Amino acid sequence: MLRTVAAAACTLGLVAGMEGSAWAQDRAAACASVHEHASDTVLVFEPPGTFTVCRGGSVQPDVVTGRPLYLQVTPSPGSSMFDFRVHGQASAWAHTGLGTWEDQTKRVASDLRDLEHAAVPIGDIPVPLDVPSGSGSPLRPLAAARTRYASDVTARFLDALHAVRGEARELPIIASVVRRWCGELATQTPARPAVEAEFRAQCNAPELQAGNVDRQLAAFEGQATLFDRARDHARDALVAAVARPEDAVAGGEAVKSLDEARRLAAGVIAAAHDLREASWGLSRAVAELRVTVRSIDALRPSTPTYLATYASAGNAELEIDATPVDIASAGSGAQASVGKTTARFPVVDRHYVDFEAGLGLTGGTPQIPYVENVQSVATIQGKPMDSLVGLALLELEPGRFLWPDRPLAGLFRFPVIGLPFTRNPTQNFFTGAGLGWTGVGSLVAGPYLAYQLTLRDGYSFEQALPAGTTVQAATQQQLRVGYFASASVDLVGLFRLFVPAHGASIDAATGKEK
């Protein structure tokens, strides 16, 4: 049983180790993909939701203030179907109004299609009941002509024609503006080559060639005008024939007018077919233009984009908007499907100086003279300096000037200035160098300067003090050099051990506090 448990534990440990190794390899591969601004800090985004802080080709735990931060999108399976943007950054292409024109061109094309399918179904064609049964009745041909006319020129046909003639007049304007957009954006490069290729193809479509839409609209409008006149004439002729049913000439004129109006309605439908195709083409061009415009300000895969330079420490939060490319051309109602991915990372201040407190051991300085009666004789004696001393240390980390965001950059400390708090700080001076770990503590050693009492020339320890000589006459204050070694703890790190820091919340897109 114990062997089984041990084997299972080993297996889990091995799997965990393999997973940890794979995770580290993935992060290292993400940093290896950075080629531009590699010496700066680059936040690598791997869709759909993986973020890695990189600098110098290696993974970093945080971002350092005062250094520019770049954002790079690494292509992944399916990422080419999305436009990625930094949420909150201003975009010059946020609202172009192209969606309104896209809807209008689609609506025109739909209304033109209604013209072609506006006829009454055969089952709904009424049979006139007021026509006399005699074959020689002059109203029988008129009723037949009216039935033929009503089966093609329906109320739906007339409504669609009225609606489309009002909106179709803007098609040449739309085509002209889209041509200008194509010219303006010809030098721009969208975020993805596929979008650029489709954009170039749509800009060369026949519908956007100068004069094409104008000619098709003029042909349609001409046919519609002829139909209007023929319909008015047919209505007047029909009213006259019904008023004089015995007049064969009036009946014949009405039949002829109804058939002519019906023929011209068919001409309207034929002209509408060409204009409908142009409207669909314009709609596709406007839709592709919307995709291209949105893609221009999107993040370019594998290209670092400047994000921000942070002035203060805290916890940064970055939101990435992911918009499906097809939704960008599906109308404004689909924009609610935009997804968001959030990255959170710490921002730390540049750290150059440590404040620490600890205990030091001093040595190498001469004894301090004093006078003591030995067998009733005043004798010069010596006592050693206090070996232990309490120190407050100010330590500079010079490696931070070259590598401010590398943990090992704070290992070496030089210079280190010590201020004793168990001795007179005006007469004891400590300076040196050492090794330490930021936020934990350090070991320091170096020279120790002490302004202390020493014997004058001609006097020595264990010597009887000559009669009539004072201690002040036999001693003097003099600067002496010794050494010290100390162990200390980081005061800020010790404080944060009990009182964790709560950094400000920073908008990673702007560098400002939220």
Side-chain angles (χ1 to χ4, degrees), residues 29-265:
C31 292
S33 67
V34 178
H35 302 293
E36 299 180 39
H37 302 285
S39 59
D40 295 311
T41 306
V42 180
L43 181 63
V44 178
F45 170 46
E46 298 174 275
T50 302
F51 293 87
T52 306
V53 180
C54 302
R55 183 174 181 270
S58 59
V59 180
Q60 302 295 323
D62 46 42
V63 174
V64 181
T65 58
R67 281 187 170 271
L69 175 65
Y70 293 84
L71 177 64
Q72 174 177 307
V73 178
T74 299
S76 62
S79 63
S80 62
M81 298 302 297
F82 292 84
D83 277 338
F84 297 102
R85 289 175 183 77
V86 176
H87 184 74
Q89 283 189 340
S91 172
W93 310 105
H95 302 286
T96 61
L98 292 173
T100 301
W101 275 359
E102 182 185 352
D103 293 341
Q104 182 171 346
T105 51
K106 286 181 178 179
R107 190 164 55 249
V108 169
S110 178
D111 290 343
L112 289 167
R113 184 176 180 273
D114 288 343
L115 287 176
E116 299 184 34
H117 300 277
V120 174
I122 294 176
D124 293 341
I125 297 177
V127 177
L129 299 178
D130 56 344
V131 178
S133 58
S135 59
S137 173
L139 291 182
R140 179 175 290 277
L142 182 60
R146 187 181 63 176
T147 300
R148 289 194 301 269
Y149 174 84
S151 65
D152 289 340
V153 186
T154 62
R156 181 182 178 188
F157 176 91
L158 296 175
D159 290 343
L161 181 59
H162 176 75
V164 78
R165 291 180 72 181
E167 291 197 289
R169 291 188 176 91
E170 288 195 31
L171 293 182
I173 300 175
I174 295 174
S176 175
V177 174
V178 172
R179 279 197 303 272
R180 290 203 300 270
W181 276 81
C182 287
E184 289 289 336
L185 300 179
T187 58
Q188 301 286 338
T189 304
R192 286 180 304 279
V195 173
E196 181 180 8
E198 185 63 26
F199 170 68
R200 308 296 181 200
Q202 289 297 336
C203 284
N204 293 324
E207 294 79 17
L208 293 182
Q209 302 305 312
N212 280 7
V213 175
D214 301 75
R215 287 190 294 271
Q216 291 169 343
L217 178 62
F220 172 75
E221 187 64 30
Q223 287 292 331
T225 301
L226 291 176
F227 166 73
D228 283 344
R229 295 171 181 171
R231 183 187 60 180
D232 292 342
H233 181 70
R235 182 179 60 249
D236 294 341
L238 178 61
V239 171
V242 171
R244 299 191 301 272
E246 71 285 353
D247 189 347
V249 175
E253 180 62 24
V255 170
K256 181 180 177 182
S257 299
L258 287 171
D259 288 340
E260 178 64 14
R262 178 170 169 268
R263 183 185 68 80
L264 290 175

Side-chain angles (χ1 to χ4, degrees), residues 251-283:
E253 180 62 24
V255 170
K256 181 180 177 182
S257 299
L258 287 171
D259 288 340
E260 178 64 14
R262 178 170 169 268
R263 183 185 68 80
L264 290 175
V268 170
I269 292 175
H273 177 80
D274 296 335
L275 188 59
R276 184 194 68 183
E277 295 303 317
S279 299
W280 280 123
L282 277 179
S283 178

Side-chain angles (χ1 to χ4, degrees), residues 330-382:
S332 58
Q335 297 303 318
S337 298
V338 175
K340 287 183 174 59
T341 301
T342 303
R344 295 178 178 86
F345 50 89
V347 179
V348 298
D349 278 323
R350 290 172 177 258
H351 184 88
Y352 298 107
V353 179
D354 292 280
F355 298 94
E356 301 185 2
L359 288 177
L361 181 65
T362 60
T365 55
Q367 294 180 333
I368 299 176
Y370 68 98
V371 175
E372 184 181 28
N373 288 327
V374 178
Q375 296 179 355
S376 300
V377 176
T379 306
I380 300 175
Q381 301 289 332

Side-chain angles (χ1 to χ4, degrees), residues 254-346:
V255 170
K256 181 180 177 182
S257 299
L258 287 171
D259 288 340
E260 178 64 14
R262 178 170 169 268
R263 183 185 68 80
L264 290 175
V268 170
I269 292 175
H273 177 80
D274 296 335
L275 188 59
R276 184 194 68 183
E277 295 303 317
S279 299
W280 280 123
L282 277 179
S283 178
R284 289 191 298 269
V286 173
E288 192 58 41
L289 181 59
R290 291 183 63 200
V291 173
T292 303
V293 167
R294 287 186 58 83
S295 181
I296 286 176
D297 68 330
L299 298 172
R300 301 178 185 277
S302 302
T303 301
T305 301
Y306 175 73
L307 191 60
T309 299
Y310 304 112
S312 58
N315 299 310
E317 185 173 284
L318 178 69
E319 286 188 349
I320 302 295
D321 293 338
T323 306
V325 175
D326 292 337
I327 288 183
S329 62
S332 58
Q335 297 303 318
S337 298
V338 175
K340 287 183 174 59
T341 301
T342 303
R344 295 178 178 86
F345 50 89

